[in-house]
Amino acid sequence: MLPLYTALALIFLLVPIVYTFVFSFNDSIKSNISWRRFTLDNWLHVCDAQDVCAAFGNSILIGVVATVLATILGTMIAIALVRYRFRFRAAISLLLFLPMATPEVVLGAGLASEFLGAGVQKGLATIIIAHTMFCISFVVVTVKARVSSLDPALEEAGRDLYASPAQVFWRITFPLLLPGIVAAALLSFALSFDDFIITNFNSGSTTTFPKFIYIAAARGIPAEANVIASAVFILAIVVVVAQQVSAAARRKRQARQG
C-alpha cells in the first residue's frame, strides 16, 4: 500500500499548484474563482492588476536584504559557537532555538509591541528587521552543522604554510563552508518571501506578495497573482533541475579523470 499512499500524498500536495498554474491562464473579470476561457493576456500583461507587481517587488527586496543580513550575522555566530569557548555559550545556543520554536503569531505580536514601544514607524524597514531576526536562527543551525564537520587539520596546514588568518579563512575555511552558507541563504530567502503572519504584524501600510494574496482572497485572487506564483514555482524547479544536472555532469567528469 505504500506506493498508493505516496501517490495520494503527491496528488494532494500538487493539486493547489496545478490549480494555481491552470487559473493563471483564465480570462477572469472581477474574480478568478470560476473558469471562463483560456488566454495568454495574464502572462503578457502581468502588472495590469493593481499593486500585484509592487507587492512582489517588495517581497523580493525584503527577502534579499533580510537574507544577506541574516546570512552574514548567522554565519559569524555559528563559527563563534563552534570554534570558541566563552561565557554563556550554552545559553546563547539555547536562545537561538527560541525563534524557531515560538509560534509566529507570538513572535510577530512581540516584535510589533517592541516597535510600538520604541516609537518606530512600521514599514519596509521594520519588516526587514523582523525577517532578519527570525532567519538568523535558521542560518546558525544550518551553518553550525557545516562548521562542526570541517577538519581542523586543513586550516592548520594553511597556517603551517605561513598563510595569514585572513588567507586561511578566505582560501580554506570559507570555500568549505560555502555549500552550507548557500543552503542557509536559500532557506532564509524562502522563509522571508513566504512569510505572512510576522509581516502582517509589522508591515504597516507596506504590502508584500503574501499579504496581497491574503487581502485579495476575499474577492478572488487575480489571475496575475497566479502568474507570478506559477513563474516563481517554475523558476525554482528549473534551478533545482539545473543544479542536479550540473552535479551529475561534474561527478561523471571526476569519475573519468579518476
Side-chain angles (χ1 to χ4, degrees), residues 104 131 134 191-203 208-215:
E104 286 195 358
H131 285 203
F134 78 78
L191 292 170
S192 175
F193 183 85
D194 191 51
D195 182 79
F196 167 73
I197 298 177
I198 296 176
T199 302
N200 196 41
F201 275 102
N202 299 279
S203 59
T208 62
F209 191 64
K211 188 176 177 181
F212 175 87
I213 295 294
Y214 176 79
I215 296 173

Side-chain angles (χ1 to χ4, degrees), residues 5 13 25 29 59 61 111 143 146 161 168 206 220 225 232 244 251:
Y5 291 148
L13 292 173
F25 296 98
I29 300 177
S59 289
L61 175 62
L111 288 170
V143 178
R146 183 66 179 174
L161 295 172
V168 170
T206 303
V232 171
Q244 293 295 326
R251 287 194 296 268

Side-chain angles (χ1 to χ4, degrees), residues 143-167:
V143 178
K144 187 179 177 182
R146 183 66 179 174
V147 177
S148 300
S149 65
L150 293 185
D151 186 0
L154 298 175
E155 295 170 303
E156 292 175 2
R159 288 190 288 269
D160 289 341
L161 295 172
Y162 304 103
S164 65
Q167 290 175 324

Side-chain angles (χ1 to χ4, degrees), residues 111-121:
L111 288 170
S113 299
E114 292 294 329
F115 290 134
L116 182 63
V120 178
Q121 183 70 29

